[in-house]
Amino acid sequence: GNLAGFTPNYYWDFTNQDTIFNDVIYNSIMNTPGITGAGSGPVFDANGLYVNAANKRLTLPLTLGSAYTIYSEFIRDTDSGTQAYIWSYDNGSNAHLVDCKIDGAVTDFVQSTVTTASASQAITATSSPLGLGVSTKFATRVELNNFAFYSGGAQMGVDTSLTMPTATTLRFGVRYDNSTYARGWIKRVAIFNSALSNAAMVTLTT
């Protein structure tokens, strides 16, 4: 459960099928309490959870506290020309939403954004496109007036006037309406029940 020297409270290692949920270790991703797939279900291989259609994603109910940090590692497989969600944490709509996604339409940058009560905040993005076949690490810190997004060991953006969203569901590889799916491998996702420091986020994403 150790990740770059840090121990997450929730951890899904899709490459090795290791899971920590609320500090409890499980021996299979699908043993995570409350987790569900859809349609033909999730596909796991040596690279992780392969999402190439909306019915390959995973969803689970989750309520986090007043501060948290979400880490993810992703390999992009194909370029759809549209948005592609690595993960989404939401209330079943776009009214309250935290995400990490490829913007897709023009730049292929990876964005991490927050929406609270239907108001967009913390629209941050990487400074270069996400290429195909490259494993890339991201970390999103969410806390009142203390948002940050990191990738590749560098800070991509901050928001020091953030208001907190009210989210209840974590989705791997898709967003709240079961669309704009990831199109690649999600290798790992980890959640820390705290706002990690800038230095920690550099270490995590390097």
Side-chain angles (χ1 to χ4, degrees), residues 19-130:
T19 302
I20 298 172
F21 186 81
N22 203 20
D23 300 318
V24 177
I25 297 173
Y26 294 84
N27 60 3
S28 170
I29 297 295
M30 299 311 294
N31 285 342
T32 302
I35 201 166
T36 57
S40 56
V43 175
F44 301 103
D45 63 24
N47 285 323
L49 171 64
Y50 185 56
V51 182
N52 65 346
N55 66 354
K56 303 297 184 184
R57 52 76 178 155
L58 292 170
T59 300
L60 95 146
L62 185 65
T63 301
L64 298 174
S66 59
Y68 50 88
T69 305
I70 302 180
Y71 164 91
S72 56
E73 190 173 344
F74 180 69
I75 302 174
R76 192 181 189 194
D77 183 37
T78 59
D79 183 353
S80 65
T82 60
Q83 285 186 338
Y85 277 67
I86 300 168
W87 57 263
S88 171
Y89 182 48
D90 59 69
N91 72 333
S93 74
N94 61 354
H96 291 271
L97 170 68
V98 186
D99 62 39
C100 184
K101 63 181 181 290
I102 303 165
D103 70 359
V106 179
T107 64
D108 285 334
F109 292 173
V110 176
Q111 295 180 332
S112 190
T113 66
V114 177
T115 302
T116 302
S118 299
S120 296
Q121 319 175 74
I123 302 173
T124 58
T126 56
S127 56
S128 59
L130 183 64

Side-chain angles (χ1 to χ4, degrees), residues 1-11 13 18-20 25 190 192:
N2 185 282
L3 189 64
F6 303 95
T7 301
N9 302 99
Y10 302 86
Y11 182 41
D13 182 347
D18 292 331
T19 302
I20 298 172
I25 297 173
F192 301 85

